[in-house]
């Protein structure tokens, strides 16, 4: 994720797959002005069948404490839901 602005922002992360919302950790990342960072996000996919799946990751940037979205991005991705043991 990257903040190309001159002020700090918080980037909220959300993911859906198969019509279900997945639980993400972290679900938000704070970035300083001009900061660029690689992050690892863990998704919990309760209720999805095991095997390959397609989803969409959405990131929305806001100034801390504000509700107005400064920018957003959507990315399609594929992942594998592990078999429950």
């Amino acid at each position: 994720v990257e903040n190309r602005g001159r002020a700090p922002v918080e980037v909220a992360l959300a993911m859906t797959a198969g019509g279900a919302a997945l639980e993400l950790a972290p679900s938000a990342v704070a970035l300083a002005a001009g900061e660029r960072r690689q992050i690892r996000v863990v998704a919990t996919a309760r209720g999805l069948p095991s095997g390959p799946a397609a989803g969409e990751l959405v990131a929305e940037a806001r100034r801390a404490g504000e509700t107005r979205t400064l920018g957003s991005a959507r990315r399609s991705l594929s992942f594998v839901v592990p078999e429950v043991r």
Side-chain angles (χ1 to χ4, degrees), residues 70 75 82:
L70 299 172
R75 297 289 181 262

Side-chain angles (χ1 to χ4, degrees), residues 24-61:
L24 299 181
S27 60
V29 178
L31 295 174
E35 183 178 4
R36 180 179 182 165
R37 191 178 343 160
Q38 243 183 18
I39 60 170
R40 180 179 305 244
V41 178
V42 176
T44 302
R46 288 185 176 85
L48 291 179
S50 61
E56 182 178 59
L57 179 66
V58 179
E60 293 184 335

Side-chain angles (χ1 to χ4, degrees), residues 1-11 29-39 59-64 70-71:
V1 289
E2 181 176 10
N3 177 5
R4 295 181 184 174
R6 295 182 179 172
V9 296
E10 184 169 288
V11 179
V29 178
L31 295 174
E35 183 178 4
R36 180 179 182 165
R37 191 178 343 160
Q38 243 183 18
I39 60 170
E60 293 184 335
R62 296 180 179 89
R63 287 198 181 98
L70 299 172

Side-chain angles (χ1 to χ4, degrees), residues 13-26:
L13 303 171
M15 187 172 171
T16 57
L22 281 64
E23 190 176 316
L24 299 181

